PDB file of all heavy atoms in Angstrom:
ATOM      1  N   GLY A 319      -0.484   8.618   4.839  1.00 90.00           N
ATOM      2  CA  GLY A 319       0.718   8.116   4.170  1.00 90.00           C
ATOM      3  C   GLY A 319       0.934   8.811   2.842  1.00 90.00           C
ATOM      4  O   GLY A 319       0.976   8.161   1.797  1.00 90.00           O
ATOM      5  N   PRO A 381      -2.996   4.531 -13.682  1.00 97.00           N
ATOM      6  CA  PRO A 381      -2.975   5.810 -12.975  1.00 97.00           C
ATOM      7  C   PRO A 381      -2.746   5.570 -11.478  1.00 97.00           C
ATOM      8  O   PRO A 381      -3.669   5.673 -10.675  1.00 97.00           O
ATOM      9  CB  PRO A 381      -4.355   6.398 -13.262  1.00 97.00           C
ATOM     10  CG  PRO A 381      -5.214   5.237 -13.610  1.00 97.00           C
ATOM     11  CD  PRO A 381      -4.347   4.106 -14.068  1.00 97.00           C
ATOM     12  N   GLY A 382      -1.544   5.205 -11.107  1.00 95.00           N
ATOM     13  CA  GLY A 382      -1.239   4.776  -9.733  1.00 95.00           C
ATOM     14  C   GLY A 382      -1.634   3.321  -9.614  1.00 95.00           C
ATOM     15  O   GLY A 382      -2.313   2.755 -10.478  1.00 95.00           O
ATOM     16  N   SER A 383      -1.210   2.677  -8.540  1.00 97.00           N
ATOM     17  CA  SER A 383      -1.507   1.246  -8.442  1.00 97.00           C
ATOM     18  C   SER A 383      -2.925   0.969  -7.948  1.00 97.00           C
ATOM     19  O   SER A 383      -3.488  -0.079  -8.226  1.00 97.00           O
ATOM     20  CB  SER A 383      -0.479   0.548  -7.542  1.00 97.00           C
ATOM     21  OG  SER A 383      -0.350   1.216  -6.322  1.00 97.00           O
ATOM     22  N   ARG A 384      -3.537   1.926  -7.244  1.00 97.00           N
ATOM     23  CA  ARG A 384      -4.835   1.655  -6.614  1.00 97.00           C
ATOM     24  C   ARG A 384      -5.895   1.208  -7.620  1.00 97.00           C
ATOM     25  O   ARG A 384      -6.582   0.206  -7.413  1.00 97.00           O
ATOM     26  CB  ARG A 384      -5.333   2.901  -5.864  1.00 97.00           C
ATOM     27  CG  ARG A 384      -6.699   2.681  -5.238  1.00 97.00           C
ATOM     28  CD  ARG A 384      -7.156   3.850  -4.416  1.00 97.00           C
ATOM     29  NE  ARG A 384      -7.379   5.024  -5.230  1.00 97.00           N
ATOM     30  CZ  ARG A 384      -7.782   6.197  -4.727  1.00 97.00           C
ATOM     31  NH1 ARG A 384      -7.979   6.322  -3.441  1.00 97.00           N
ATOM     32  NH2 ARG A 384      -7.977   7.222  -5.511  1.00 97.00           N
ATOM     33  N   GLU A 385      -6.012   1.968  -8.713  1.00 97.00           N
ATOM     34  CA  GLU A 385      -7.046   1.650  -9.690  1.00 97.00           C
ATOM     35  C   GLU A 385      -6.821   0.252 -10.284  1.00 97.00           C
ATOM     36  O   GLU A 385      -7.763  -0.512 -10.481  1.00 97.00           O
ATOM     37  CB  GLU A 385      -7.049   2.719 -10.784  1.00 97.00           C
ATOM     38  CG  GLU A 385      -8.218   2.594 -11.725  1.00 97.00           C
ATOM     39  CD  GLU A 385      -8.305   3.790 -12.683  1.00 97.00           C
ATOM     40  OE1 GLU A 385      -8.441   4.929 -12.209  1.00 97.00           O
ATOM     41  OE2 GLU A 385      -8.215   3.566 -13.902  1.00 97.00           O
ATOM     42  N   LEU A 387      -5.276  -2.300  -8.843  1.00 98.00           N
ATOM     43  CA  LEU A 387      -5.557  -3.330  -7.834  1.00 98.00           C
ATOM     44  C   LEU A 387      -7.063  -3.588  -7.768  1.00 98.00           C
ATOM     45  O   LEU A 387      -7.516  -4.734  -7.691  1.00 98.00           O
ATOM     46  CB  LEU A 387      -5.044  -2.882  -6.459  1.00 98.00           C
ATOM     47  CG  LEU A 387      -3.516  -2.793  -6.317  1.00 98.00           C
ATOM     48  CD1 LEU A 387      -3.125  -1.958  -5.096  1.00 98.00           C
ATOM     49  CD2 LEU A 387      -2.902  -4.192  -6.227  1.00 98.00           C
ATOM     50  N   TYR A 413      -4.727  -2.991   3.209  1.00 96.00           N
ATOM     51  CA  TYR A 413      -5.008  -1.722   2.530  1.00 96.00           C
ATOM     52  C   TYR A 413      -6.494  -1.749   2.164  1.00 96.00           C
ATOM     53  O   TYR A 413      -6.966  -2.721   1.557  1.00 96.00           O
ATOM     54  CB  TYR A 413      -4.101  -1.637   1.303  1.00 96.00           C
ATOM     55  CG  TYR A 413      -4.292  -0.449   0.409  1.00 96.00           C
ATOM     56  CD1 TYR A 413      -4.392   0.840   0.916  1.00 96.00           C
ATOM     57  CD2 TYR A 413      -4.337  -0.610  -0.973  1.00 96.00           C
ATOM     58  CE1 TYR A 413      -4.539   1.934   0.077  1.00 96.00           C
ATOM     59  CE2 TYR A 413      -4.475   0.481  -1.820  1.00 96.00           C
ATOM     60  CZ  TYR A 413      -4.590   1.747  -1.287  1.00 96.00           C
ATOM     61  OH  TYR A 413      -4.739   2.819  -2.127  1.00 96.00           O
ATOM     62  N   TYR A 416      -8.287  -3.339  -0.960  1.00 96.00           N
ATOM     63  CA  TYR A 416      -8.430  -4.792  -1.161  1.00 96.00           C
ATOM     64  C   TYR A 416      -9.842  -5.243  -0.737  1.00 96.00           C
ATOM     65  O   TYR A 416     -10.530  -5.957  -1.468  1.00 96.00           O
ATOM     66  CB  TYR A 416      -7.413  -5.596  -0.342  1.00 96.00           C
ATOM     67  CG  TYR A 416      -5.955  -5.238  -0.499  1.00 96.00           C
ATOM     68  CD1 TYR A 416      -5.035  -5.651   0.462  1.00 96.00           C
ATOM     69  CD2 TYR A 416      -5.485  -4.520  -1.589  1.00 96.00           C
ATOM     70  CE1 TYR A 416      -3.681  -5.360   0.345  1.00 96.00           C
ATOM     71  CE2 TYR A 416      -4.130  -4.213  -1.705  1.00 96.00           C
ATOM     72  CZ  TYR A 416      -3.242  -4.627  -0.737  1.00 96.00           C
ATOM     73  OH  TYR A 416      -1.909  -4.337  -0.842  1.00 96.00           O
ATOM     74  N   ASN A 459       0.957  -7.646   0.069  1.00 98.00           N
ATOM     75  CA  ASN A 459       1.551  -6.312   0.078  1.00 98.00           C
ATOM     76  C   ASN A 459       2.919  -6.411   0.745  1.00 98.00           C
ATOM     77  O   ASN A 459       3.029  -6.663   1.925  1.00 98.00           O
ATOM     78  CB  ASN A 459       0.612  -5.379   0.863  1.00 98.00           C
ATOM     79  CG  ASN A 459       1.096  -3.947   0.907  1.00 98.00           C
ATOM     80  OD1 ASN A 459       0.774  -3.217   1.835  1.00 98.00           O
ATOM     81  ND2 ASN A 459       1.850  -3.523  -0.068  1.00 98.00           N
ATOM     82  N   ASN A 463       2.025  -2.182   4.121  1.00 98.00           N
ATOM     83  CA  ASN A 463       1.350  -1.104   4.835  1.00 98.00           C
ATOM     84  C   ASN A 463       0.269  -1.763   5.680  1.00 98.00           C
ATOM     85  O   ASN A 463      -0.594  -2.433   5.105  1.00 98.00           O
ATOM     86  CB  ASN A 463       0.721  -0.148   3.800  1.00 98.00           C
ATOM     87  CG  ASN A 463      -0.225   0.857   4.423  1.00 98.00           C
ATOM     88  OD1 ASN A 463      -0.283   1.012   5.622  1.00 98.00           O
ATOM     89  ND2 ASN A 463      -0.998   1.534   3.566  1.00 98.00           N
ATOM     90  N   ASP A 491       1.411  -6.403  -4.449  1.00 98.00           N
ATOM     91  CA  ASP A 491       1.373  -4.943  -4.354  1.00 98.00           C
ATOM     92  C   ASP A 491       2.729  -4.501  -3.798  1.00 98.00           C
ATOM     93  O   ASP A 491       2.995  -4.597  -2.605  1.00 98.00           O
ATOM     94  CB  ASP A 491       0.208  -4.550  -3.433  1.00 98.00           C
ATOM     95  CG  ASP A 491       0.116  -3.055  -3.205  1.00 98.00           C
ATOM     96  OD1 ASP A 491       0.995  -2.310  -3.687  1.00 98.00           O
ATOM     97  OD2 ASP A 491      -0.845  -2.636  -2.533  1.00 98.00           O
ATOM     98  N   CYS A 493       4.165  -1.399  -4.078  1.00 98.00           N
ATOM     99  CA  CYS A 493       4.293   0.052  -4.284  1.00 98.00           C
ATOM    100  C   CYS A 493       5.277   0.701  -3.303  1.00 98.00           C
ATOM    101  O   CYS A 493       5.703   1.830  -3.535  1.00 98.00           O
ATOM    102  CB  CYS A 493       2.930   0.729  -4.247  1.00 98.00           C
ATOM    103  SG  CYS A 493       2.123   0.735  -2.647  1.00 98.00           S
ATOM    104  N   TYR A 494       5.654  -0.004  -2.224  1.00 98.00           N
ATOM    105  CA  TYR A 494       6.658   0.555  -1.291  1.00 98.00           C
ATOM    106  C   TYR A 494       8.059  -0.017  -1.535  1.00 98.00           C
ATOM    107  O   TYR A 494       8.952   0.168  -0.702  1.00 98.00           O
ATOM    108  CB  TYR A 494       6.242   0.290   0.167  1.00 98.00           C
ATOM    109  CG  TYR A 494       5.002   1.055   0.575  1.00 98.00           C
ATOM    110  CD1 TYR A 494       3.750   0.452   0.547  1.00 98.00           C
ATOM    111  CD2 TYR A 494       5.076   2.386   0.959  1.00 98.00           C
ATOM    112  CE1 TYR A 494       2.604   1.155   0.889  1.00 98.00           C
ATOM    113  CE2 TYR A 494       3.948   3.104   1.308  1.00 98.00           C
ATOM    114  CZ  TYR A 494       2.712   2.480   1.269  1.00 98.00           C
ATOM    115  OH  TYR A 494       1.586   3.191   1.606  1.00 98.00           O
ATOM    116  N   SER A 525       4.447   1.753  -8.592  1.00 98.00           N
ATOM    117  CA  SER A 525       3.884   3.108  -8.617  1.00 98.00           C
ATOM    118  C   SER A 525       4.981   4.145  -8.413  1.00 98.00           C
ATOM    119  O   SER A 525       5.990   3.873  -7.744  1.00 98.00           O
ATOM    120  CB  SER A 525       2.865   3.201  -7.475  1.00 98.00           C
ATOM    121  OG  SER A 525       2.424   4.518  -7.315  1.00 98.00           O
ATOM    122  N   SER A 527       4.155   6.866  -6.855  1.00 98.00           N
ATOM    123  CA  SER A 527       3.638   7.657  -5.731  1.00 98.00           C
ATOM    124  C   SER A 527       4.637   7.728  -4.583  1.00 98.00           C
ATOM    125  O   SER A 527       4.844   8.793  -4.002  1.00 98.00           O
ATOM    126  CB  SER A 527       2.322   7.065  -5.232  1.00 98.00           C
ATOM    127  OG  SER A 527       1.343   7.151  -6.242  1.00 98.00           O
ATOM    128  N   LYS A 528       5.251   6.612  -4.236  1.00 97.00           N
ATOM    129  CA  LYS A 528       6.200   6.605  -3.119  1.00 97.00           C
ATOM    130  C   LYS A 528       7.625   6.736  -3.646  1.00 97.00           C
ATOM    131  O   LYS A 528       8.424   7.483  -3.106  1.00 97.00           O
ATOM    132  CB  LYS A 528       6.087   5.329  -2.274  1.00 97.00           C
ATOM    133  CG  LYS A 528       4.725   4.649  -2.257  1.00 97.00           C
ATOM    134  CD  LYS A 528       3.642   5.417  -1.558  1.00 97.00           C
ATOM    135  CE  LYS A 528       2.314   4.668  -1.651  1.00 97.00           C
ATOM    136  NZ  LYS A 528       1.164   5.422  -1.248  1.00 97.00           N
ATOM    137  N   PRO A 533       2.402  11.178  -5.633  1.00 97.00           N
ATOM    138  CA  PRO A 533       1.087  10.537  -5.663  1.00 97.00           C
ATOM    139  C   PRO A 533       0.061  11.308  -6.494  1.00 97.00           C
ATOM    140  O   PRO A 533      -0.902  10.737  -6.996  1.00 97.00           O
ATOM    141  CB  PRO A 533       0.671  10.482  -4.184  1.00 97.00           C
ATOM    142  CG  PRO A 533       1.490  11.517  -3.496  1.00 97.00           C
ATOM    143  CD  PRO A 533       2.772  11.613  -4.273  1.00 97.00           C
ATOM    144  N   ARG A 536      -0.451  10.365 -10.433  1.00 98.00           N
ATOM    145  CA  ARG A 536      -1.235   9.178 -10.776  1.00 98.00           C
ATOM    146  C   ARG A 536      -0.539   8.406 -11.897  1.00 98.00           C
ATOM    147  O   ARG A 536      -0.971   8.415 -13.063  1.00 98.00           O
ATOM    148  CB  ARG A 536      -2.693   9.504 -11.171  1.00 98.00           C
ATOM    149  CG  ARG A 536      -3.477  10.350 -10.199  1.00 98.00           C
ATOM    150  CD  ARG A 536      -3.332   9.915  -8.736  1.00 98.00           C
ATOM    151  NE  ARG A 536      -3.799   8.554  -8.460  1.00 98.00           N
ATOM    152  CZ  ARG A 536      -3.139   7.716  -7.652  1.00 98.00           C
ATOM    153  NH1 ARG A 536      -2.009   8.060  -7.049  1.00 98.00           N
ATOM    154  NH2 ARG A 536      -3.613   6.509  -7.439  1.00 98.00           N
ATOM    155  N   PHE A 611       6.113   3.766   7.383  1.00 98.00           N
ATOM    156  CA  PHE A 611       5.226   3.747   8.547  1.00 98.00           C
ATOM    157  C   PHE A 611       5.896   3.109   9.763  1.00 98.00           C
ATOM    158  O   PHE A 611       6.704   2.187   9.626  1.00 98.00           O
ATOM    159  CB  PHE A 611       3.958   2.943   8.240  1.00 98.00           C
ATOM    160  CG  PHE A 611       3.115   3.525   7.149  1.00 98.00           C
ATOM    161  CD1 PHE A 611       2.984   2.880   5.932  1.00 98.00           C
ATOM    162  CD2 PHE A 611       2.458   4.734   7.330  1.00 98.00           C
ATOM    163  CE1 PHE A 611       2.207   3.420   4.911  1.00 98.00           C
ATOM    164  CE2 PHE A 611       1.675   5.284   6.327  1.00 98.00           C
ATOM    165  CZ  PHE A 611       1.554   4.623   5.116  1.00 98.00           C
ATOM    166  N   GLU A 704      -5.995   9.192   1.430  1.00 66.00           N
ATOM    167  CA  GLU A 704      -4.686   8.572   1.171  1.00 66.00           C
ATOM    168  C   GLU A 704      -4.913   7.515   0.127  1.00 66.00           C
ATOM    169  O   GLU A 704      -5.818   6.722   0.244  1.00 66.00           O
ATOM    170  CB  GLU A 704      -4.145   7.934   2.440  1.00 66.00           C
ATOM    171  CG  GLU A 704      -2.981   7.005   2.171  1.00 66.00           C
ATOM    172  CD  GLU A 704      -2.618   6.200   3.410  1.00 66.00           C
ATOM    173  OE1 GLU A 704      -2.359   6.808   4.449  1.00 66.00           O
ATOM    174  OE2 GLU A 704      -2.626   4.971   3.323  1.00 66.00           O
ATOM    175  N   GLY A 705      -4.040   7.494  -0.845  1.00 64.00           N
ATOM    176  CA  GLY A 705      -4.033   6.454  -1.872  1.00 64.00           C
ATOM    177  C   GLY A 705      -5.315   5.857  -2.162  1.00 64.00           C
ATOM    178  O   GLY A 705      -5.870   4.938  -1.906  1.00 64.00           O
TER     179      GLY A 705
HETATM  180  C1  LIG B 144      -0.573  -0.769   0.260  1.00 94.27           C
HETATM  181  C2  LIG B 144      -0.899   0.255  -0.779  1.00 94.27           C
HETATM  182  N1  LIG B 144      -1.135  -0.158  -2.022  1.00 94.27           N
HETATM  183  C3  LIG B 144      -1.448   0.703  -2.994  1.00 94.27           C
HETATM  184  C4  LIG B 144      -1.532   2.066  -2.731  1.00 94.27           C
HETATM  185  C5  LIG B 144      -1.952   2.959  -3.854  1.00 94.27           C
HETATM  186  O1  LIG B 144      -1.033   3.911  -4.208  1.00 94.27           O
HETATM  187  P1  LIG B 144      -1.043   4.613  -5.624  1.00 94.27           P
HETATM  188  O2  LIG B 144      -2.383   4.384  -6.249  1.00 94.27           O
HETATM  189  O3  LIG B 144      -0.798   6.033  -5.350  1.00 94.27           O
HETATM  190  O4  LIG B 144       0.033   3.943  -6.420  1.00 94.27           O
HETATM  191  C6  LIG B 144      -1.287   2.547  -1.454  1.00 94.27           C
HETATM  192  C7  LIG B 144      -1.386   3.985  -1.144  1.00 94.27           C
HETATM  193  O5  LIG B 144      -1.304   4.475  -0.096  1.00 94.27           O
HETATM  194  C8  LIG B 144      -0.956   1.613  -0.428  1.00 94.27           C
HETATM  195  O6  LIG B 144      -0.698   2.006   0.826  1.00 94.27           O
END
Side-chain angles (χ1 to χ4, degrees):
S383 51
R384 178 176 65 180
E385 189 172 300
L387 292 163
Y413 176 47
Y416 307 162
N459 182 207
N463 169 12
D491 177 356
C493 68
Y494 292 97
S525 172
S527 296
K528 332 292 178 192
R536 308 315 299 139
F611 297 112
E704 166 190 304

